[in-house]
Amino acid sequence: MAYLSGAYFDLLLLGAGVALEGRFTSVSGLNMEVEYEVYNEGGLNYPRFFFKETKPQVLVLEQGVVTSVDSVSLLMNMCILGMSIPLAGTVTLIDSFGAPQRVWSIVGAYLQKYIGPELNSNQAALAVSRIELIYNGCC
C-alpha cells in the first residue's frame, strides 16, 4: 500500500482472543475529556473541583488496511451476538523513513462502526474506508 506522504498510522489493538492490526492514513479522536463537579463551601473564595467522570470518545480510523486475519468481521459478529470485547493497544505515527514518531495508548476500546470500501472496478480502493471505536480517552 503506497501512502502519498510516506507517513501512516500503525494500529495494534488486542482483546481476548482477537487482534486488530492495520495501517491507516488518517486517525482522529485521540482525545481525552474529563468532567468535574464544582463545589463551593461557605466562607471560601475559591471553588473546589471534584472528579465526576470521563466522557467517552470515538477513535476514527480511515483509509487503511487491516493486516490481521479478518478480525473486523469477527468483532462485528461478536457484537451482533451481544458479546463486546474490550481492546487495548497503541496507535503509532510512522514517518516516511519507517521510524516511529509518536505513540498513543488506547485502553477499553469497543468496535462501534465499520464502513467498507466503495467497490468500483475502474478504481483502486483501500480495504477499509472507516472503523470507529468508542473508548474512554487516550494516554
Side-chain angles (χ1 to χ4, degrees):
M1 177 170 165
Y3 300 100
L4 191 57
S5 70
Y8 61 91
F9 292 93
D10 195 25
L11 173 79
L12 175 60
L13 296 176
L14 303 171
V18 77
L20 183 59
E21 291 181 77
R23 293 180 174 177
F24 297 88
T25 58
S26 175
V27 173
S28 63
L30 292 168
N31 308 324
M32 184 149 192
E33 188 174 347
V34 178
E35 187 175 340
Y36 291 94
E37 185 173 330
V38 179
Y39 178 73
N40 289 312
E41 291 181 341
L44 293 177
N45 293 332
Y46 58 90
R48 298 181 64 187
F49 297 95
F50 294 98
F51 174 76
K52 189 172 181 182
E53 65 183 348
T54 58
K55 292 187 176 183
Q57 303 296 315
V58 177
L59 179 65
V60 179
L61 312 164
E62 293 182 296
Q63 300 301 317
V65 174
V66 174
T67 57
S68 54
V69 179
D70 208 13
S71 57
V72 175
S73 67
L74 176 65
L75 286 168
M76 287 303 290
N77 284 332
M78 294 185 81
C79 288
I80 290 168
L81 295 172
M83 299 181 292
S84 199
I85 296 176
L87 302 171
T90 58
V91 174
T92 306
L93 173 62
I94 307 293
D95 68 11
S96 59
F97 299 106
Q101 294 298 312
R102 175 81 160 81
V103 177
W104 292 268
S105 296
I106 307 296
V107 178
Y110 295 89
L111 183 63
Q112 176 176 304
K113 187 175 190 178
Y114 167 77
I115 299 174
E118 292 184 22
L119 301 176
N120 183 344
S121 63
N122 296 324
Q123 294 180 357
L126 295 172
V128 174
S129 288
R130 185 179 179 107
I131 295 175
E132 293 182 11
L133 299 133
I134 190 164
Y135 73 116
N136 283 327
C138 65
C139 307

